[in-house]
């Protein structure tokens, strides 16, 4: 089970989302071949303006030169001196990443984003910004609030872009991060995650986490950086402050979280800038949830497909089409192949009565 | 915490098998060579070693034996390949080599720690702070009966000898002497990005992590009004665009399009100043809002609420925070704490936190969320420990005032109770006497009733007999009179 990493904005009510199908989708993604990237990053970077200020190959700890190759090769440090050297890099890189990281507020939701150009292009997760032309407020690292407009999204991969709204004559520039490459990263590579877990907290500020790349493919990367709602869209960086991913989803295991590889953004850059919907993320959704390990309806989303079908809290779902339902996992199995706009038959028990209701699946 | 170690990965195993089986001609391994040239195939010495010490005989007569040996070697290599793939895929921050690297830092500390048990659950990690059995730990998870298990394995029942409410630290006492206390000293609070090692009686550290947020005050939950403000297009203030049901704003009848211009005496210039002003408040605070409604100016007082208490449906976030995590009961209100990402569980609180120089820089106090473990810096721990050791925070000392008040009240009650007691006794004995009399009278009453009944029956009977006799008398009289008159008639012949 995985949830979009997003948090309610200041506690404003957001309809509860039924994640049944999102979970199924994720399982599907995970069962794709997990290609382990074999080649270490080369160290030669494209030379962009003000790109990689933290150039580390060796560091000096207490007057002693320490090799830092392990940071990029995905190996473990072999001495405490190396670990101490990494600690210093964590500190410096966090400082730098913070300056380019923004909190994104849209309607009742919040997420994180990262500025990747001095004129204010921001990368984030598609589910943070919804669709092109949506208006958002972004809060910079120093608390400055600015308006921004959503550009392109790829809902399937969960990549999205915004642009800070600037008047014609406004030539302000913003601190930004360089987009590195994500296709050549070795598993085990040391990475850092930054974001606003739980949403903007002025008394706390941004939170940094450190972890390693567990696995990845062209569409997603998994790390053991801990993430939670509100981090969505935030930057995953290497130890040179190079942007390698954008936080997307969390796993049920604390130590397995999912990021969109940065190459996805690079490859679709022009479409994102042009404000295109590259692929739709809508997945079929039923609009009810059941009590843990039972078939009893726990809640029904207002005006959702289940509500429209007449399902009520307390109903017991006996069958969906021909599949017997005992618990949530049965529902997942029964609805795995349903499509948006398809109608399914739910046999339910309400008190003594047994009813058959038609539910038209919607997209969400 | 070897999270990924040796978890079978069916997919990778399949992939590995497939790569060997499908690509026999490639350089994917000796198995391929066997398939091509079974007779000549030979495992290298290295292969043989890897294959659990199987040796390879190259002799012509021993072809099948050699094949078997090579196959064994090949399978061994395959198994290792699968393991390596597993490791490759799963190289995590908490891998054994990294924990091994920081083990020497934990070695001098862990003998001074203890496990705190409550029944079968580990509810904390303790630090030995006194040679006579004083153990420092986290308070909020403690439940009687409590036991402390020292690093040497000895287990003792423990009593709470003090609770420092502000920091959530507790001092336990076990009945033992001659312990080696851990000397705690003031150390600087770690910076953002600093690596931390959390230690328990185990020789391997519980976890390692990084400071995500340097020390700060951890307040209560967010003070909540229940309005969604936007900037006012012209002029100052924040215009309300939504009022949340059942919120303080709702209760105080704030309305959409009201413009908030002041909170107490702080001028609200825009939505941002409204948020930042609220951020300085805590739930329960009373504030007065100055509101522009139409042409009028109103002053509306309200009490700020705890956001999570108003919005019961905030489960989405709560659920995420709890996913894959056991959170502490107390997760807020600490005077100072630094936040790290070690992902400890509630039962590991109280454990000492070391920096990469092996210095104790804090004590874990709360797993407050999915991504957040909180630790108290030593400058907060030391004064709390001193107060705990002084005995002033012992439950009896802590509740001293209340205990005294209750004692006085008890005395007053006993004074009132004394005369009431004898009076009660008197009433009781009188009541007993009266009850006996009542019984007696009831018995007499019953007896009389019975006699009355008997007499009544007799009376009825006599009355009946009397009536019968009277009838007989009447009948006989009538007969007498008739006979007499007949006799007279006959005698006189008066007809």
């Amino acid at each position: 089970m995985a949830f979009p990493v997003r948090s309610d904005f200041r506690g404003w009510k957001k309809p509860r989302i039924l994640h049944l199908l999102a979970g199924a989708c994720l399982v599907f993604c995970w069962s794709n071949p997990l290609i382990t990237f074999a080649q270490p990053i080369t160290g030669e970077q494209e030379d962009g303006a003000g790109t990689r200020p933290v150039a580390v190959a060796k560091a000096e700890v207490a007057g002693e030169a320490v090799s830092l190759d392990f940071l990029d090769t995905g190996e473990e440090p072999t001495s405490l001196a190396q670990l101490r050297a990494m600690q210093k890099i964590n500190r410096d890189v966090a400082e730098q990443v913070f300056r380019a990281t923004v909190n994104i507020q849209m309607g009742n939701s919040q997420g994180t984003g990262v500025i990747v150009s001095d004129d204010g292009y921001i990368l984030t997760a598609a589910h943070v910004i919804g669709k092109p032309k949506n208006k958002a407020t972004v809060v910079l690292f120093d608390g400055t609030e600015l308006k921004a407009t959503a550009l392109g999204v790829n809902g399937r991969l969960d990549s999205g872009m915004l642009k800070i709204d600037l008047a014609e004559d406004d030539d302000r520039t913003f601190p930004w991060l360089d987009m590195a490459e994500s296709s050549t990263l070795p598993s085990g590579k040391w990475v850092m995650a930054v974001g606003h877990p739980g949403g903007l907290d002025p008394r706390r500020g941004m939170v940094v986490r450190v972890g390693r790349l567990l696995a990845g493919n062209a569409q997603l990367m998994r790390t053991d950086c801990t993430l939670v709602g509100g981090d969505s869209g935030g930057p995953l960086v290497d130890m040179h402050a190079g942007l390698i991913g954008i936080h997307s989803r969390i796993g049920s295991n604390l130590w397995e979280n999912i990021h969109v590889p940065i190459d996805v953004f690079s490859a679709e850059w022009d479409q994102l800038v042009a404000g295109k919907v590259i692929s739709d993320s809508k997945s079929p959704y039923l609009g009810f949830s059941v009590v843990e390990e039972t078939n009893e309806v726990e809640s029904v989303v207002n005006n959702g497909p289940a509500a429209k079908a007449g399902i009520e809290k307390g109903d017991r779902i006996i069958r969906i089409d021909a599949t017997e339902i005992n618990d949530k996992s049965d529902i997942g199995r029964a609805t795995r192949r349903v499509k948006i706009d398809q109608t399914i038959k739910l046999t339910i028990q309400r008190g003594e009565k047994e009813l058959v209701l038609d539910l038209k699946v919607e997209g969400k | 915490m070897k999270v990924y170690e040796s978890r079978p990965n069916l997919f990778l195993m399949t992939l590995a098998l497939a790569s060997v089986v499908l690509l026999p001609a490639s350089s994917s391994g000796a198995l391929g060579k066997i398939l091509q040239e079974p007779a000549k195939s030979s495992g290298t010495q290295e292969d043989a070693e890897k294959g659990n010490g199987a040796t390879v005989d190259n002799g012509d007569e021993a072809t099948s034996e050699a094949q078997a040996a090579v196959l064994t070697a090949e399978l061994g290599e395959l198994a290792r390949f699968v393991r390596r793939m597993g490791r490759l895929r799963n190289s995590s921050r908490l891998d054994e080599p990294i924990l091994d690297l920081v083990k020497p830092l934990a070695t001098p500390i862990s003998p001074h720690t203890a496990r705190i048990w409550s029944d079968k659950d580990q509810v904390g990690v303790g630090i030995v702070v006194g040679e006579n059995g004083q153990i420092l730990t986290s308070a909020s998870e403690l439940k009687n009966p409590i036991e402390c298990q020292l690093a040497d394995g000895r287990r003792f029942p423990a009593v709470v000898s003090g609770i420092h409410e502000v920091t959530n630290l507790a001092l336990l006492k076990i009945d033992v002497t001659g312990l080696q206390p851990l000397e705690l000293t003031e150390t600087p609070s770690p910076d953002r990005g600093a690596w931390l090692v959390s230690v328990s009686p185990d020789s391997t550290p519980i976890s390692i992590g990084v400071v995500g947020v340097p020390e700060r005050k951890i307040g209560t939950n967010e003070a909540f009004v229940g309005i969604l403000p936007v900037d006012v297009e012209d002029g100052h203030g924040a215009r309300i665009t939504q009022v949340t049901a059942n919120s303080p704003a709702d209760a105080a009848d704030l309305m959409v399009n009201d413009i908030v211009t002041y909170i107490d005496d702080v001028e609200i210039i825009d939505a941002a100043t409204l948020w930042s002003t609220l951020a300085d408040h805590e739930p329960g605070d009373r504030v007065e809002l100055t509101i522009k409604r139409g042409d009028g100016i109103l002053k509306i007082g309200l009490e700020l609420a705890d956001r999570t208490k108003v919005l019961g449906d905030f489960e989405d976030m709560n659920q995420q925070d709890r996913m894959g995590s056991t959170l502490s009961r107390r997760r807020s209100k600490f005077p100072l704490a630094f936040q790290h990402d070690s992902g400890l569980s509630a039962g590991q609180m109280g454990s000492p936190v070391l920096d990469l120089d092996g210095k104790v820089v804090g004590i874990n106090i709360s797993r407050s969320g999915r991504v957040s473990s909180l630790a108290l810096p030593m400058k907060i721990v030391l004064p709390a420990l001193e107060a705990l050791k002084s005995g002033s925070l012992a439950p009896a000392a802590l509740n001293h005032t209340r205990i005294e008040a209750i004692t006085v009240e008890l005395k007053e009650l006993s004074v009132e109770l004394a005369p009431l007691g004898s009076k009660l006794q008197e009433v009781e004995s009188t009541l007993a006497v009266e009850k006996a009399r009542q019984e007696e009278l009831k018995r007499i009453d019953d007896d009389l009733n019975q006699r009355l009944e008997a007499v009544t029956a007799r009376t009825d009977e006599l009355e009946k007999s009397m009536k019968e006799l009277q009838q007989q008398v009447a009948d006989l009289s009538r007969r007498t009179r008739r006979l007499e008159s007949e006799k007279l008639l006959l005698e006189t012949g008066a007809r």
Side-chain angles (χ1 to χ4, degrees), chain B residues 186-192 194 196 211 213-216 336-339 355 361-362 375-379:
Chain B
E186 181 152 350
T187 44
S189 189
D191 286 345
R192 192 190 312 276
L196 302 172
V211 176
V213 187
E215 66 174 28
R216 72 186 202 275
L336 270 186
F338 53 91
Q339 177 179 329
D355 64 10
V361 293
L376 301 168
M378 293 316 284
K379 64 171 162 255

Side-chain angles (χ1 to χ4, degrees), chain A residues 1-14 16-17 19 31-34 36 74 76-80 83-84 86-87 90-91 94-95 98 108 145 187-188 190 197-198 201-204 206-215 222 224 226-229 231 250-257, chain B residues 1 3-4 7 9 11-12 85 87-95 97-98 101-102 105 191-195 207 210-213 216 219-224 226-228 242-244 272 275 279-282 307 311 313-317 319-321 323-325 339 341-343 356-357 367 370-371:
Chain A
M1 201 65 184
F3 294 84
V5 186
R6 181 164 72 165
S7 100
D8 287 1
F9 172 41
R10 307 263 185 208
W12 286 90
K13 281 198 179 185
K14 183 182 73 169
R16 286 180 43 145
I17 304 164
H19 295 278
S31 63
N32 277 338
L34 293 161
T36 311
E76 283 91 20
T78 49
S79 70
L80 275 173
L83 200 52
R84 289 189 194 111
M86 172 153 65
Q87 171 172 266
N90 293 154
R91 203 170 298 165
E95 268 327 299
F98 276 13
N108 300 342
E145 286 192 26
S187 157
W190 290 89
D201 180 347
R203 284 185 283 190
R204 178 200 64 195
M206 286 179 231
V207 181
V208 61
R209 280 135 290 174
V210 174
R212 298 173 77 183
L213 185 62
L214 303 176
R222 277 194 294 147
D224 59 357
T226 64
L227 295 181
V228 77
D231 276 322
I250 66 177
S252 55
N253 181 330
L254 172 64
W255 307 108
E256 289 188 17
N257 297 291
Chain B
M1 294 283 293
V3 179
Y4 299 109
R7 198 175 39 181
N9 186 317
F11 167 73
L12 284 173
M85 288 295 282
R87 238 199 342 269
L88 219 61
R89 174 187 163 235
N90 290 329
S91 29
S92 89
R93 176 180 101 187
L94 296 177
D95 272 358
I98 298 168
L101 199 57
V102 295
L105 303 177
D191 286 345
R192 192 190 312 276
W195 281 73
S207 187
V210 167
V211 176
V213 187
R216 72 186 202 275
T220 47
N221 291 320
E222 191 180 316
F224 181 70
I227 55 175
L228 183 60
Q242 268 188 54
V243 176
T244 305
W275 287 126
D280 293 335
H281 284 281
E282 302 218 331
R307 177 175 81 170
L311 298 164
D313 71 329
F314 211 57
E315 296 160 19
D316 213 32
M317 192 66 211
Q319 196 181 1
Q320 285 196 11
D321 259 332
M323 251 164 78
S325 317
Q339 177 179 329
D341 64 352
S342 302
L356 289 185
D357 297 323
R367 175 73 192 277
R370 180 175 162 98
V371 302

Side-chain angles (χ1 to χ4, degrees), chain B residues 404-426:
Chain B
E404 209 159 68
I406 290 174
T407 313
V408 169
E409 212 170 319
L410 278 175
K411 201 174 267 174
E412 284 169 7
L413 285 176
S414 77
V415 171
E416 267 179 73
L417 200 63
L420 285 179
S422 60
K423 205 169 178 180
L424 179 69
Q425 224 166 22
E426 202 183 301

Side-chain angles (χ1 to χ4, degrees), chain B residues 72-392:
Chain B
T72 314
E74 189 57 44
L75 282 174
E77 192 176 340
L78 189 59
R80 262 189 316 283
F81 172 70
V82 168
R83 271 206 301 278
R84 202 179 66 234
M85 288 295 282
R87 238 199 342 269
L88 219 61
R89 174 187 163 235
N90 290 329
S91 29
S92 89
R93 176 180 101 187
L94 296 177
D95 272 358
E96 220 170 306
I98 298 168
L99 291 176
D100 283 347
L101 199 57
V102 295
K103 221 172 183 172
L105 303 177
T107 309
I109 307 294
S110 63
H112 306 283
T113 62
R115 252 178 263 279
I116 314 297
W117 296 91
S118 180
D119 278 334
K120 290 188 185 69
D121 301 325
Q122 187 183 323
V123 292
V125 171
I127 302 174
V128 176
V129 290
E131 59 183 55
N132 297 321
Q134 286 93 345
I135 314 277
L136 184 67
T137 189
S138 150
S140 55
E141 309 294 317
L142 295 175
K143 274 198 307 271
N144 279 318
I146 303 164
E147 285 186 304
C148 285
Q149 187 178 19
L150 299 174
D152 60 17
R154 286 184 294 161
R155 206 163 159 151
F156 300 89
V159 290
V160 177
S161 71
I163 288 180
H164 190 257
E165 190 50 43
V166 180
T167 56
N168 196 33
L169 286 169
L171 190 66
L172 303 179
K173 175 79 175 70
I174 57 176
D175 196 8
V176 66
T177 54
L179 298 183
Q180 291 281 320
L182 182 65
E183 203 183 316
L184 297 172
T185 55
E186 181 152 350
T187 44
S189 189
D191 286 345
R192 192 190 312 276
W195 281 73
L196 302 172
V197 182
S198 296
V199 179
S200 78
D202 288 333
S203 59
T204 302
I206 310 173
S207 187
I208 55 170
V210 167
V211 176
V213 187
E215 66 174 28
R216 72 186 202 275
K217 178 173 182 256
I218 311 289
T220 47
N221 291 320
E222 191 180 316
F224 181 70
V225 182
I227 55 175
L228 183 60
V230 294
D231 296 350
V232 174
E233 284 82 36
D234 41 359
H236 284 177
R239 189 167 59 82
I240 297 173
T241 57
Q242 268 188 54
V243 176
T244 305
N246 304 321
S247 66
D250 189 20
D253 290 327
L254 290 183
M255 289 160 75
V256 169
N257 288 329
D258 282 356
I259 293 168
V260 184
T261 54
Y262 281 88
I263 295 181
D264 294 329
D265 50 7
V266 180
E267 187 176 5
I268 303 304
I269 296 157
D270 52 16
T273 44
L274 188 144
W275 287 126
S276 64
T277 308
L278 283 178
D280 293 335
H281 284 281
E282 302 218 331
D285 288 359
R286 274 204 75 81
V287 293
E288 189 184 61
L289 306 189
T290 306
I291 299 287
K292 213 158 88 184
R293 181 179 294 168
D295 294 332
I297 301 282
L298 303 170
K299 297 218 179 233
I300 295 179
L302 50 81
E303 188 175 312
L304 299 174
D306 180 336
R307 177 175 81 170
T308 55
K309 283 186 184 142
V310 175
L311 298 164
D313 71 329
F314 211 57
E315 296 160 19
D316 213 32
M317 192 66 211
N318 262 324
Q319 196 181 1
Q320 285 196 11
D321 259 332
R322 288 177 186 281
M323 251 164 78
S325 317
T326 320
L327 304 188
S328 298
R329 278 188 221 195
R330 175 158 156 192
R331 302 189 287 279
S332 58
K333 275 191 118 172
F334 297 101
L336 270 186
F338 53 91
Q339 177 179 329
H340 58 103
D341 64 352
S342 302
L344 305 171
S345 71
Q348 292 167 330
M349 292 301 125
S351 47
V353 182
L354 315 184
D355 64 10
L356 289 185
D357 297 323
K359 289 197 301 278
V360 179
V361 293
I363 292 183
N364 286 311
I365 202 67
S366 173
R367 175 73 192 277
S368 59
R370 180 175 162 98
V371 302
S372 143
S373 300
L374 300 176
L376 301 168
M378 293 316 284
K379 64 171 162 255
I380 295 295
V381 171
L382 295 177
L385 179 58
E386 202 170 311
L388 284 164
K389 277 183 159 174
S390 75
S392 64

Side-chain angles (χ1 to χ4, degrees), chain A residues 25 27 54 67 127 134 145 162 196 217 242-243 312 361:
Chain A
C25 159
V27 171
V54 186
S67 163
H127 75 263
N134 275 347
E145 286 192 26
L162 299 119
H196 291 271
N217 59 26
L243 183 60
E312 294 174 5
V361 179

Side-chain angles (χ1 to χ4, degrees), chain B residues 454-483:
Chain B
V455 171
T456 308
R458 183 85 187 116
T459 327
D460 290 349
E461 210 172 296
L462 289 172
E463 269 178 0
K464 203 170 139 200
S465 307
M466 184 181 77
K467 274 182 188 149
E468 278 168 12
L469 288 172
Q470 278 173 345
Q471 192 61 46
Q472 280 176 26
V473 170
D475 287 351
L476 290 175
S477 303
R478 228 178 5 258
R479 230 169 112 195
T480 309
R481 274 197 305 277
R482 204 165 51 239
L483 288 174

